[in-house]
Amino acid sequence: MRRQYRNGRYNQHHHMLRTRDIRLRIRGAGNALAASSRSVRLMLLPVMVATFTCLPASSNIALAGAYPYADVSLTGHGWGPGVGMGQWGAFGYAIDGWSYQQILAHFYGSTPTGSTRLGTLPTSQSSSDIRVVIGENDGNPAVVTSSTPFTVAGVQMAAGSAAKLVPAGNGNWNLYAGQGCNGPWSSTPSRTGLSNPVVTPSVSTTLGASDATGDALTICLSSGNMLVQGDVVATYNASGSPRTVNVLPLEEYVAGVVPNESPAYWGTLGAPGAQGQPRGFQELEAQAVAARSYVMANLGSGIHGSYADICDTYCQVYRGLANQTALVAEAVQNTAGQVIFMPNGQVADTQYSSSTGGWTAPGTFNPVVDAGDSVCIPQACNSHHTWNAQVPVTALEQAYPSIGTLVSITVTQRNGLGSLGGRVLGLQIVGTTGTVNTTGSAFSSQFSNYGVQSNWFEVDGQPSGGISGYWLVGADGAVYPFGDARYYGSASGKMAAANKAISISSTTTGQGYLIATSQGDVFNFGDAPSLTAGPSGSSGTIQMDGSKVTGIAIPPD
């Protein structure tokens, strides 16, 4: 996070120069600070005003000790980065009766540059073939089989046989014949010196065809075979590493994504809805449009070089014919060719997440409330809407060895959207030998194995023993941070000569403060709310009728 104050060297020098001046100012303001123990209630919601207690000059400020627990406990919201459509949220809205068009308009309808629209691809694009690199097989021979006859680079293969394409270097491949995924294989190759050999089924299958499974090719993989429509190509990437690519029509590709991103059974849930299907079916249609838009926006982008358009895992999950149902085929067919267009007419890069936690994250699309994310019906309840995680202190210390022994972990900046103040933009991890500043996204990625599901979280039970920093406020509104306290700004120069700053109060997050003055002015800094006060609600000043503000305090909520 970009620091909001000057570098440490300047701060230290600044503090040394002003220490005596601070004491003089505090003494000068002493009468105002101690003149009355009476609380003055100001109508400044959500901030209530109470007597402010100053830290006595003789107080001993304890240094923060080692983290008192074995684990850092977190409570958070959502699963994934939260950009674009939330799949659980889309399902929740569908169950509430929204159409897929309404769902798409909600999540993707607005961008910083204008409104999007749902439209249909021209035929030249809707007839595109999609090249999907099968990442699990990177660097390995391509092994393909089928229950029906097929060909490899023009070589006829019998039903039930298998082809093993072995890298031969210099862009070439050698073909070995065998029986099934595990061979045995012929001792000599059937063909040598093949360039980008293509494996083709005897019958081209179509979306929703009853015989699609029987006529499809099977890519043999170590973790489980993948039944795919279209062709399989053995090729190399720019570095000369072997790659296995599935090439198939756009709509067949979309059908291979939908049930592996959104559970196909969601389409069977809910009251009777549009198109003669249960309401949950609308989520499958929204997912089909999002998946189609995403791949078309990235078509020809060069992300995977010249050999593929998209991957089968971290891009969007594609598993061929696995999990496809008649409802999935219908959702894809009903929305065939439909995509989201950006204000400039280009196809939108429609990213999406499993669960947004209740608010989408800013990005290509403007952030929106996701009320559907909290959906919980007997057959499907979003356990990611709110989650808990335990990150071992030892894991933190190993991940950030420069900190030594963990002392504290504090959120320093949020995006302001949703509960807790929104997603974590800045995080400070303090130890006995150093401090690390990182982002919520980096932290959640680092500790996802411990159940940290997103960058929207808070630290539970943060140790409170010892004071690691504090602020002093001068009568002229100048704020001076010490220790770990951060500087967010001063009211100096904003106040009339007769108006004195007399107290400062931290927000519940510790990432901001409010300054109260003798005339009832309240100045906000950091994540403190901007307040208006007074009968007119416009001046920001309370008419004190001779009384003086003695302090301010932030309520727990």
Side-chain angles (χ1 to χ4, degrees):
M1 182 189 74
R2 181 170 63 88
R3 294 180 182 270
Q4 300 182 45
Y5 52 88
R6 296 178 175 87
N7 61 57
R9 178 178 299 176
Y10 179 89
N11 272 340
Q12 182 180 10
H13 181 62
H14 185 69
H15 294 160
M16 291 175 64
L17 289 175
R18 297 301 296 271
T19 300
R20 183 175 181 182
D21 190 28
I22 293 168
R23 290 175 179 170
L24 289 174
R25 292 182 187 279
I26 294 298
R27 289 171 183 166
N31 291 335
L33 288 169
S36 173
S37 61
R38 179 179 56 188
S39 297
V40 179
R41 184 175 298 277
L42 302 185
M43 299 305 291
L44 296 175
L45 298 178
V47 178
M48 71 177 185
V49 174
T51 302
F52 175 77
T53 302
C54 292
L55 184 71
S58 60
S59 293
N60 293 320
I61 299 175
L63 294 176
Y67 206 80
Y69 315 117
D71 300 314
V72 174
S73 299
L74 305 174
T75 297
H77 299 294
W79 189 16
V83 177
M85 184 180 75
Q87 291 159 313
W88 274 103
F91 173 65
Y93 284 128
I95 292 296
D96 285 343
W98 287 29
S99 68
Y100 79 90
Q101 295 96 331
Q102 289 175 309
I103 294 169
L104 293 168
H106 178 69
F107 287 108
Y108 298 122
S110 175
T111 77
T113 60
S115 298
T116 66
R117 67 176 179 88
L118 178 63
T120 303
L121 291 167
T123 303
S124 59
Q125 294 183 39
S126 62
S127 59
S128 299
D129 279 342
I130 306 301
R131 300 171 301 167
V132 191
V133 60
I134 309 303
E136 181 184 338
N137 210 45
D138 286 356
N140 298 321
V143 180
V144 183
T145 186
S146 179
S147 60
T148 57
F150 61 101
T151 60
V152 182
V155 178
Q156 188 69 36
M157 305 291 292
S161 65
K164 184 176 184 178
L165 292 161
V166 179
N170 297 321
N172 294 319
W173 299 78
N174 293 337
L175 169 63
Y176 292 81
Q179 294 297 316
C181 288
N182 297 317
W185 307 103
S186 58
S187 57
T188 59
S190 303
R191 288 287 182 89
T192 61
L194 298 174
S195 176
N196 297 326
V198 180
V199 185
T200 306
S202 57
V203 177
S204 296
T205 59
T206 58
L207 177 63
S210 59
D211 61 349
T213 299
D215 293 327
L217 298 174
T218 295
I219 302 175
C220 303
L221 302 170
S222 60
S223 65
N225 301 333
M226 183 185 293
L227 195 65
V228 298
Q229 293 178 280
D231 301 335
V232 175
V233 179
T235 188
Y236 292 90
N237 68 5
S239 300
S241 179
R243 293 291 184 266
T244 302
V245 178
N246 180 201
V247 182
L248 73 167
L250 171 62
E251 300 305 335
E252 279 83 343
Y253 166 76
V254 173
V257 171
V258 170
N260 297 292
E261 284 287 0
S262 294
Y265 82 93
W266 279 1
T268 68
L269 303 180
Q275 300 165 289
Q277 298 292 350
R279 289 181 174 181
F281 179 70
Q282 299 298 310
E283 195 283 336
L284 297 184
E285 292 187 305
Q287 180 67 76
V289 175
R292 186 181 298 110
S293 301
Y294 180 84
V295 69
M296 293 306 293
N298 288 280
L299 200 67
S301 64
I303 295 176
H304 297 282
S306 60
Y307 68 93
D309 301 307
I310 200 163
C311 64
D312 65 333
T313 52
Y314 61 85
C315 301
Q316 52 186 4
V317 180
Y318 166 79
R319 295 297 298 170
L321 284 161
N323 304 315
Q324 288 193 34
T325 64
L327 271 183
V328 169
E330 184 175 345
V332 176
Q333 289 168 332
N334 286 349
T335 63
Q338 293 184 19
V339 295
I340 303 294
F341 288 100
M342 293 291 284
N344 64 2
Q346 294 184 347
V347 179
D349 189 355
T350 48
Q351 298 179 33
Y352 47 86
S353 296
S354 172
S355 170
T356 68
W359 263 94
T360 64
T364 301
F365 306 95
N366 292 331
V368 294
V369 173
D370 182 4
D373 189 73
S374 59
V375 60
C376 190
I377 60 176
Q379 305 93 330
C381 186
N382 183 11
S383 61
H384 307 292
H385 181 69
T386 299
W387 49 264
N388 299 101
Q390 304 287 324
V391 180
V393 168
T394 53
L396 277 160
E397 292 170 346
Q398 290 171 2
Y400 308 109
S402 64
I403 69 168
T405 300
L406 179 67
V407 171
S408 66
I409 175 170
T410 306
V411 174
T412 58
Q413 188 180 12
R414 295 182 180 272
N415 73 358
L417 302 174
S419 64
L420 310 179
R423 297 176 184 275
V424 176
L425 302 181
L427 193 68
Q428 187 175 72
I429 302 167
V430 178
T432 54
T433 61
T435 297
V436 169
N437 290 293
T438 186
T439 65
S441 296
F443 183 86
S444 62
S445 177
Q446 178 77 42
F447 299 105
S448 60
N449 290 342
Y450 296 101
V452 184
Q453 299 182 25
S454 74
N455 61 356
W456 187 353
F457 57 83
E458 67 176 346
V459 182
D460 301 325
Q462 183 77 319
S464 57
I467 299 174
S468 59
Y470 57 95
W471 293 291
L472 296 180
V473 60
D476 64 350
V479 174
Y480 303 92
F482 291 86
D484 290 338
R486 289 175 174 264
Y487 177 72
Y488 297 99
S490 294
S492 180
K494 299 180 181 179
M495 298 182 298
N499 198 13
K500 303 290 186 182
I502 59 174
S503 70
I504 184 169
S505 179
S506 174
T507 60
T508 55
T509 65
Q511 304 309 312
Y513 41 77
L514 294 169
I515 297 174
T517 75
S518 60
Q519 292 187 357
D521 287 322
V522 178
F523 296 90
N524 66 300
F525 300 89
D527 67 3
S530 176
L531 304 174
T532 58
S536 68
S538 61
S539 67
T541 301
I542 294 292
Q543 300 301 318
M544 299 306 296
D545 297 327
S547 301
K548 289 186 177 181
V549 177
T550 58
I552 56 177
I554 308 296
D557 60 355

